[in-house]
Amino acid sequence: KNEVEQSPQNLTAQEGEFITINCSYSVGISALHWLQQHPGGGIVSLFMLSSGKKKHGRLIATINIQEKHSSLHITASHPRDSAVYICAVRDDKIIFGKGTRLHILP
Amino acid sequence: DAMVIQNPRYQVTQFGKPVTLSCSQTLNHNVMYWYQQKSSQAPKLLFHYYDKDFNNEADTPDNFQSRRPNTSFCFLDIRSPGLGDAAMYLCATSRVGGEQYFGPGTRLTVT
């Protein structure tokens, strides 16, 4: 069974800081997802990765298949980025990490 | 434009009283998923459909049932809700092996 570990569990930073959230998994996968969940529950899919790097606005996601590791970066962080960020991996099913709670202070 | 729609957004039901949550999609995706998410926990997959092919997770209680009458709609039926079933219920859709698109969720309260 794939184990998905995220770090840190909680992160508080000042507006403008560069943010990195890490995800590691134990077994080979076909894809990795980064999701964002705001208070109130709705989940938004940010990225789906199977290799390399993707960028969307201030968000960058990278994955290293050999090391079984992915990172989500937020540049020029803003209070509206405050949310829970969830890493999920797909092997024969989707397995979710426990999430990283990010709080950006103005 | 909303692509995955869940109704209602908030549902209050009484202990033991059957409740149905609905999900609809405009993406024409052939896979639909139901997740249960309790406070501060990761979403837990309850079941999913590949087209009409129903796939139940081994640890999903029998109290939870699902129906998918057509590509666009999927329902989650909780036959006898208990206090432990209070949670956020998330619907998602995807193409096979593709990115999942989530609905806004239905928050269920059991009194």
Side-chain angles (χ1 to χ4, degrees):
Chain A
K1 180 182 175 182
N2 221 333
E3 302 285 338
V4 181
E5 298 287 337
Q6 284 188 239
S7 63
Q9 288 186 330
N10 295 282
L11 177 57
T12 299
Q14 290 293 139
E15 182 174 358
E17 285 190 41
F18 181 82
I19 303 298
T20 295
I21 299 170
N22 296 299
C23 175
S24 60
Y25 51 93
S26 55
V27 179
I29 60 171
S30 59
L32 181 144
H33 302 257
W34 281 104
L35 309 167
Q36 179 193 56
Q37 187 170 32
H38 280 284
I43 289 181
V44 173
S45 178
L46 299 175
F47 296 103
M48 187 176 80
L49 293 165
S50 53
S51 65
K53 175 180 174 178
K54 286 190 177 180
K55 184 176 189 292
H56 181 68
R58 294 180 295 107
L59 301 177
I60 303 165
T62 64
I63 188 168
N64 185 318
I65 298 295
Q66 286 74 30
E67 294 186 4
K68 297 184 176 60
H69 180 269
S70 175
S71 293
L72 176 69
H73 306 285
I74 306 174
T75 62
S77 60
H78 189 276
R80 65 175 175 267
D81 297 326
S82 299
V84 176
Y85 291 84
I86 303 170
C87 169
V89 301
R90 177 192 293 278
D91 44 31
D92 60 340
K93 57 176 66 175
I94 287 199
I95 299 168
F96 292 83
K98 292 184 178 179
T100 294
R101 188 173 299 276
L102 176 65
H103 186 202
I104 303 296
L105 300 171
Chain B
D1 291 334
M3 296 182 289
V4 183
I5 302 160
Q6 289 189 242
N7 285 305
R9 295 291 309 278
Y10 300 91
Q11 175 73 58
V12 180
T13 191
Q14 292 178 333
F15 183 95
K17 185 175 181 181
V19 65
T20 295
L21 310 181
S22 76
C23 176
S24 62
Q25 54 136 336
T26 60
L27 297 163
N28 205 32
H29 285 166
N30 54 345
V31 190
M32 294 187 78
Y33 309 80
W34 277 107
Y35 294 92
Q36 179 193 63
Q37 186 180 28
K38 296 188 177 180
S39 182
S40 301
Q41 295 183 21
K44 175 182 178 299
L45 182 64
L46 296 173
F47 22 62
H48 68 281
Y49 281 91
Y50 281 112
D51 296 316
K52 286 191 174 291
D53 184 20
F54 177 70
N55 298 271
N56 196 34
E57 293 300 299
D59 56 354
T60 298
D62 292 340
N63 197 26
F64 292 84
Q65 303 287 318
S66 184
R67 296 170 282 136
R68 189 179 185 186
N70 54 53
T71 300
S72 300
F73 285 87
C74 194
F75 300 97
L76 170 62
D77 300 307
I78 308 176
R79 293 193 295 188
S80 182
L83 297 178
D85 297 327
M88 175 73 81
Y89 290 88
L90 295 160
C91 173
T93 75
S94 76
R95 300 193 187 283
V96 175
E99 189 168 1
Q100 290 197 15
Y101 291 79
F102 286 82
T106 294
R107 185 169 295 282
L108 178 69
T109 300
V110 181
T111 60

